């Protein structure tokens, strides 16, 4: 699996330039995307997750054009946003069942089996009937991870997953990633914390003001950006 980004640009309706001539190649493994606030990370993440359309340039997922094959790309992509504002007053089971439907699991028995297995794998089975909005921060994060993995995606896109977590919870999250996402071909990990990804990534990209300021191995990043 390979994602090829060529001269990607994004300008919002108010004239804000979010991305300018971004060129990246993202291959199998964990790829880190770093940058300060307002660097363009989330805009790039949302474009790759098919939630935003680019203003210019091309993005190819193993040769599939993002502009022409959005549904096909969406079907192989799991997306974990920075956070959900609300779980729509549903139980953990109901939320994940709905997420499974969106991921293409339309047969009731197949979906039920997948939902229960995912809840069990992420330690959520015991709270499956609780209101998702009333779960602990860690349990909510596990439920958010569950919705990203329910369709067995080939690509997982994660946006600032450790924001608001304690150091112990961050360690737990990384262990969870290592345990549960071994079969995913590409994990794109957006963060502003280098230590979150330095040990796991062979390659990172650093965005600054919508442009790629660095791409390469994470150990060389500090001397390039100061």
């Amino acid at each position: 699996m390979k994602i090829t980004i060529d001269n990607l640009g994004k300008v919002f309706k108010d004239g804000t330039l979010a991305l300018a001539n971004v060129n990246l190649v993202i291959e199998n493994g964990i790829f880190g995307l770093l940058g300060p606030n307002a660097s363009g990370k989330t805009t790039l993440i949302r474009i790759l997750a098919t939630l935003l359309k680019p203003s210019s340039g091309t993005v190819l997922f193993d040769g599939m054009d993002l502009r022409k094959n959005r549904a096909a790309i969406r079907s192989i992509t799991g997306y974990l946003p920075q956070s959900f504002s609300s779980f729509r007053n549903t139980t953990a089971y109901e939320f994940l069942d709905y997420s499974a439907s969106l991921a293409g699991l339309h047969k009731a028995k197949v979906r039920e089996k997948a939902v229960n297995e995912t809840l069990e794998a992420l330690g959520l089975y015991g709270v499956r009937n609780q209101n998702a909005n009333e779960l602990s921060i860690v349990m909510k994060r596990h439920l958010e991870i569950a919705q990203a993995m329910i369709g067995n995606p080939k690509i997982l896109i994660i946006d600032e997953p450790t924001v608001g977590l304690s150091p112990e919870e961050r360690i737990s999250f990384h262990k969870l990633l290592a345990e549960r996402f071994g079969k995913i071909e590409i994990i794109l990990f957006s963060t502003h914390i280098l230590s979150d990804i330095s040990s796991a990534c062979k390659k990172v990209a650093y965005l600054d003001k919508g442009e790629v300021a660095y791409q390469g191995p994470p150990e060389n990043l500090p001397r390039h950006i100061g």
Side-chain angles (χ1 to χ4, degrees), residues 96 113-124 146-147 149-150:
L96 195 55
K113 183 174 184 292
V115 169
N116 284 325
E117 287 178 350
T118 304
L119 288 169
E120 184 70 40
L122 288 159
L124 294 165
Q147 68 78 33
M149 67 181 285
I150 188 67

Side-chain angles (χ1 to χ4, degrees), residues 92-113:
Y93 184 95
E94 290 168 341
F95 174 77
L96 195 55
D97 184 63
Y98 174 70
S99 299
S101 296
L102 295 180
L105 301 179
H106 300 306
K107 293 184 177 180
K109 290 186 177 180
V110 172
R111 190 169 67 251
E112 181 182 8
K113 183 174 184 292

Side-chain angles (χ1 to χ4, degrees), residues 2-226:
K2 181 167 68 173
I3 302 173
T4 306
I5 302 170
D6 186 25
N7 290 322
L8 187 68
K10 177 62 179 179
V11 181
F12 288 102
K13 291 182 179 180
D14 64 359
T16 300
L17 177 64
L19 297 172
N21 299 319
V22 171
N23 293 281
L24 290 172
V25 176
I26 302 170
E27 298 181 294
N28 284 11
I30 302 177
F31 186 97
L33 184 63
L34 294 109
N37 291 335
S39 64
K41 296 195 310 297
T42 295
T43 299
L44 177 56
I45 286 288
R46 288 175 62 80
I47 287 174
L48 296 179
T50 72
L51 300 176
L52 279 179
K53 293 183 179 181
S55 302
S56 59
T58 59
V59 181
L60 301 178
F61 286 69
D62 262 3
M64 291 190 296
D65 192 316
L66 179 64
R67 295 179 185 271
K68 301 175 183 177
N69 301 279
R70 297 177 70 82
I73 291 169
R74 190 178 294 117
S75 71
I76 61 171
T77 302
Y79 174 54
L80 179 62
Q82 185 170 329
S83 66
F84 286 86
S85 58
S86 171
F87 291 96
R88 299 184 180 182
N89 200 33
T90 60
T91 65
Y93 184 95
E94 290 168 341
F95 174 77
L96 195 55
D97 184 63
Y98 174 70
S99 299
S101 296
L102 295 180
L105 301 179
H106 300 306
K107 293 184 177 180
K109 290 186 177 180
V110 172
R111 190 169 67 251
E112 181 182 8
K113 183 174 184 292
V115 169
N116 284 325
E117 287 178 350
T118 304
L119 288 169
E120 184 70 40
L122 288 159
L124 294 165
Y125 192 79
V127 298
R128 64 191 183 281
N129 294 321
Q130 290 187 26
N131 188 312
N133 287 311
E134 296 175 358
L135 297 175
S136 69
I137 292 175
V138 174
M139 284 295 183
K140 285 180 180 178
R141 202 57 179 153
H142 282 207
L143 184 56
E144 292 166 359
I145 294 168
Q147 68 78 33
M149 67 181 285
I150 188 67
N152 294 316
K154 293 183 178 181
I155 301 165
L156 180 67
I157 299 174
I158 311 174
D159 190 9
E160 298 279 6
T162 60
V163 168
L165 299 183
S166 69
E168 293 79 13
E169 290 165 348
R170 285 170 55 198
I171 292 171
S172 176
F173 173 80
H174 288 297
K175 286 182 179 178
L176 186 63
L177 273 187
E179 291 170 359
R180 301 302 174 192
F181 294 122
K183 295 182 180 180
I184 293 176
E185 296 181 29
I186 290 177
I187 298 178
L188 177 59
F189 198 128
S190 169
T191 182
H192 65 279
I193 305 171
L194 179 58
S195 61
D196 269 351
I197 57 175
S198 59
S199 62
C201 298
K202 292 182 180 179
K203 189 175 181 181
V204 301
Y206 185 87
L207 289 184
D208 187 25
K209 298 178 181 177
E211 298 182 351
V212 178
Y214 171 81
Q215 59 178 307
E219 59 269 22
N220 294 337
L221 175 61
R223 64 187 177 88
H224 281 272
I225 64 172

